[in-house]
Amino acid sequence: MGRPLRLFNSLGRRTEDFAPAGDTVGIYTCGPTVYAYPHLGNMRAYVFADTLRRALRWKGLPTRQIINITDVGHAVAELELGDDKLEVAAARERKSVEEVAEHYTQAFFADLAALNILPADEYPRATACVDQMIDFAAELERRGFAYTIESGLYFDTSKSVDYGRLALINTEGQREGARVEQVEGRRNKTDFALWRTETPGQMRAMRWKSPWGWGAPGWHLECSVMSIALLGSHFDIHTGGIDHRQLHHVNEIAQSEAYLGDARPWVRYWLHNEFLQFGAQKMAKSAGGTIRVADLSSAGIHPLAYRLFLSGGHYRAQLDYTHEAIESAQSSLRRLMARAEPLRPLPPIQTYAQAVDSAHGDQATIDALNQFDAAISNDLGTPQLLAHLHESLRSDGLSADGRRAVLSSAESLLGIGLDRIASDGLAGTQALLADDLTARVTDLVAEREAARAARDWPRADQLRAQLERLGVQVTDTPQGPTWRAN
Ligand code: AMP
Ligand code: ZN
C-alpha cells in the first residue's frame, strides 16, 4: 500500500506513523458555528480534513467522519465570549434562532459541495443531542468531577489526570486571557462550564430544562457527546483549527477521559490546521473583513482555485489570502485543466494500489506515482504533490496513459476538479474585495450602468470617479461592465 502514512500529532507534537485501531478510521471534525456565513478561513479546516480523508482512502483505509453543527447560541457566545451571536443574528435578520441556524447550515453545505469536499457520514446538530449532553454532564457530576455554582455546572479540572497535555499547558500559570472568562465561584481558573444556567429573569431564545435549572449546554460538551455517540468511546483522529488546540480540545479530552474512566487516551491522533490569514490577522467571523466562497464566484474565481491555493501550502503553515495569490491560483488551475482536458475521461483511481495497477508495469508512471505517495505520506505534503504533478505533466517520459493515471491519482488526493472542470469555464478576472466592499462596488457599478443606459453621462462619470476612489477600475465591454480592484 505504498509507504506508511505519517501524520503530525499535536498530542506530543511529533510526526508519527498512523496506525488505525480497527478496520474503519473514525474521524471527528469540529464543525461550524452557524450564526453567520462560513468564510474561507473556516473552509480551510474542512478542506484539510477532506485531504486527510483522501489520503487515508489512497492508503486503502475506509473512514467514517462526523462533522457537528454548533447551532446552540450559548455555545457560540462562549466561544467568542460575547453576546449570544445566534440571538443577535436572529434579531438583525428578523428570524427565529432556528431559522438563522438552518440558513447558515445550508450555506455551509453549499460551500462544502463547491469545494469538492467528500460528504461526511453524519452532520449531527448540537440542538438534537441536548438530552444526551445532560446525561453526560450528570454522570460527571455523580462521579465527583463537577460542581455547581450560580452560573451553572462546572468541570473541576484539578480532578483531571494530566489536564492540558494537548496544549502543553502548565496549569499553574496561563489560560487567563483569550476565550477564558472570569467566573464567580469557580474553583480553578481552567474549570469550564458543562451547563450554563440562566440568570434569574433571563430567558434565552434557546433554552432547555436540566437538573441545574433552565439553560444550555457548555460549548465543549457537544463534541465529546456526539463523537462518542457516533464513533464509539475511542476513535482514531480528531481534527480542527489550530485555535482549538489550546482550549476546546483540551476540555473535550478532560471531560471525555473523566467520563470514560478507563485510563486510556480518548483519541490517539489530534490534527490541527493553521490559519488562513487576511491582512495581518486570522480571517475571523467576529473580526469582519471575511471572504466567502460565494464572493469568489461572483468575482469570477472558481471555488476550486481556492482549493488549489490551499493545496499549494502545507496545512500546518499559515497562509496569506491576497488578490494576487488567488488570481495566480486561478491561472494555475486553468493551465492544469487545459492539460487534463485532452486526456479525459480519466481512469477511476482512488487508491495507491489502483494507481499502480493502472500503470500496467510502466516504470516512468510508477515512479511518478511513488513520488505522489511519498509526498502525501509525509504529513499530507500537498505542495510537494503539486510540484510532482506539474513536473510529470511537463516531462516527455510519460505516455498518454501514464499521464491519465497521474492526473487521476492527483485528483483523488487533491480534489481540484482535474477530471471535469473545463479550462474555458474559468473565465473572469475581477479581483476580490472584502464582503461588504464587494456589495458596495456591485451596487455602484449597477447604478453607473443605469446612468449610462439613461445617457446621463455626468452621473456615470461621477460614479466612475467614486469607484476609483475605492480603488476600483471599471471597464466597459460589449458584454457589459467588468471591474477590478487595484
Ligand atoms: P467556527 O465556526 O468559528 O467554530 O470555526 C469552524 C472551524 O474553522 C474551526 O475548526 C476553526 O478552528 C476553523 N477556523 C476558523 N478561522 C479560521 C482561519 N482563519 N483559518 C483556518 N481555520 C479557521
Ligand atoms: Zn469541537
Side-chain angles (χ1 to χ4, degrees):
M1 297 306 100
R3 48 191 84 205
L5 176 62
R6 292 180 59 75
L7 297 171
F8 182 85
N9 192 349
S10 295
L11 203 57
R13 306 281 198 284
R14 350 171 249 275
T15 308
E16 299 170 9
D17 282 4
F18 173 73
D23 296 337
T24 299
V25 180
I27 307 173
Y28 187 87
T29 299
C30 285
T33 49
V34 286
Y35 65 88
Y37 288 109
H39 55 69
L40 295 181
N42 299 131
M43 297 316 292
R44 183 177 193 192
Y46 306 104
V47 168
F48 151 63
D50 186 50
T51 308
L52 170 67
R53 276 185 67 184
R54 288 168 181 270
L56 292 163
R57 184 177 70 174
W58 174 254
K59 298 294 182 187
L61 296 170
T63 55
R64 171 167 163 76
Q65 185 195 24
I66 308 297
I67 302 181
N68 63 302
I69 304 289
T70 299
D71 59 353
V72 173
H74 289 237
V76 177
E78 185 176 343
L79 203 158
E80 308 261 344
L81 290 186
D83 298 329
D84 184 322
K85 294 283 195 312
L86 211 45
E87 285 188 21
V88 172
R92 183 184 65 226
E93 299 176 23
R94 294 170 200 279
K95 289 183 185 159
S96 69
V97 282
E98 289 80 9
E99 283 168 338
V100 168
E102 187 55 27
H103 175 77
Y104 293 118
T105 301
Q106 293 307 325
F108 172 62
F109 290 151
D111 286 359
L112 290 176
L115 291 169
N116 204 21
I117 290 170
L118 302 170
D121 293 271
E122 290 187 51
Y123 298 94
R125 285 161 166 84
T127 48
C129 304
V130 176
D131 288 347
Q132 287 150 283
M133 294 187 223
I134 292 174
D135 291 346
F136 190 106
E139 176 66 13
L140 287 176
E141 187 183 32
R142 202 179 59 75
R143 304 235 305 271
F145 284 102
Y147 59 93
T148 323
I149 51 178
E150 203 177 313
S151 58
L153 180 71
Y154 279 74
F155 185 87
D156 185 345
T157 51
S158 69
K159 301 267 169 69
S160 162
V161 185
D162 214 3
Y163 179 80
R165 70 183 183 277
L166 175 70
L168 305 180
I169 288 177
N170 150 21
T171 325
E172 288 312 305
Q174 291 212 26
R175 294 281 306 287
E176 212 72 72
R179 288 192 174 186
V180 177
E181 59 200 323
Q182 307 295 327
V183 179
E184 190 73 26
R186 191 166 51 177
R187 292 181 190 163
N188 312 287
K189 58 187 172 193
T190 43
D191 293 356
F192 56 91
L194 295 166
W195 189 263
R196 301 184 158 263
T197 306
E198 281 178 359
T199 48
Q202 183 184 38
M203 239 239 247
R204 297 284 202 177
M206 274 191 188
R207 58 202 295 267
W208 292 266
K209 199 167 179 200
S210 83
W212 316 283
W214 283 89
W219 164 45
H220 311 297
L221 197 53
E222 69 178 82
C223 290
S224 290
V225 170
M226 297 196 285
S227 61
I228 290 174
L230 296 169
L231 292 169
S233 303
H234 297 274
F235 53 93
D236 296 292
I237 307 179
H238 199 311
T239 77
I242 190 78
D243 45 341
H244 289 346
R245 193 175 71 182
Q246 283 314 109
L247 180 66
H248 179 49
H249 289 168
V250 167
N251 290 345
E252 279 191 41
I253 291 174
Q255 67 199 2
S256 299
E257 294 187 353
Y259 177 86
L260 295 169
D262 58 6
R264 284 173 57 196
W266 175 42
V267 175
R268 289 177 312 138
Y269 299 89
W270 290 81
L271 271 59
H272 296 101
N273 63 279
E274 254 297 348
F275 286 139
L276 178 76
Q277 302 279 109
F278 188 44
Q281 298 172 355
K282 87 168 204 195
M283 194 178 278
K285 278 176 206 171
S286 47
T290 60
I291 294 177
R292 293 163 46 197
V293 171
D295 297 326
L296 293 179
S297 310
S298 58
I301 302 285
H302 198 285
L304 293 179
Y306 174 62
R307 186 161 180 153
L308 179 63
F309 160 75
L310 289 179
S311 305
H314 188 258
Y315 75 91
R316 285 194 293 117
Q318 284 188 352
L319 260 180
D320 280 318
Y321 184 91
T322 62
H323 303 328
E324 294 73 29
I326 199 74
E327 296 271 1
S328 132
Q330 167 99 337
S331 310
S332 175
L333 188 67
R334 189 183 292 121
R335 284 194 300 274
L336 279 172
M337 295 309 156
R339 292 217 183 243
E341 264 164 344
L343 294 162
R344 290 176 189 157
L346 303 181
I349 291 176
Q350 292 188 338
T351 66
Y352 174 77
Q354 290 166 345
V356 170
D357 259 4
S358 76
H360 300 296
D362 177 61
Q363 199 52 48
T365 307
I366 294 172
D367 289 347
L369 294 172
N370 279 331
Q371 285 183 322
F372 282 16
D373 186 56
I376 204 72
S377 303
N378 182 14
D379 194 25
L380 313 180
T382 54
Q384 292 75 19
L385 202 162
L386 270 176
H388 292 313
L389 173 64
H390 287 296
E391 226 169 85
S392 18
L393 290 177
R394 271 197 308 267
S395 103
D396 299 327
L398 282 183
S399 63
D401 275 342
R403 281 164 203 263
R404 286 190 184 97
V406 159
L407 277 165
S408 182
S409 301
E411 176 57 21
S412 85
L413 288 164
L414 298 173
I416 51 177
L418 291 165
D419 52 345
R420 59 194 163 84
I421 308 269
S423 60
D424 63 3
L426 290 167
T429 51
Q430 292 173 355
L432 273 201
L433 298 170
D435 239 8
D436 44 353
L437 203 50
T438 307
R440 179 120 179 269
V441 168
T442 316
D443 287 348
L444 287 171
V445 170
E447 206 184 316
R448 179 170 166 275
E449 258 310 87
R452 277 164 52 85
R455 300 184 165 271
D456 182 353
W457 309 118
R459 176 74 187 138
D461 285 346
Q462 208 183 359
L463 287 159
R464 176 195 284 277
Q466 203 172 335
L467 282 158
E468 270 166 8
R469 279 197 297 279
L470 291 172
V472 170
Q473 206 67 48
V474 190
T475 315
D476 297 302
T477 74
Q479 288 78 39
T482 62
W483 56 267
R484 95 181 346 269
N486 295 320

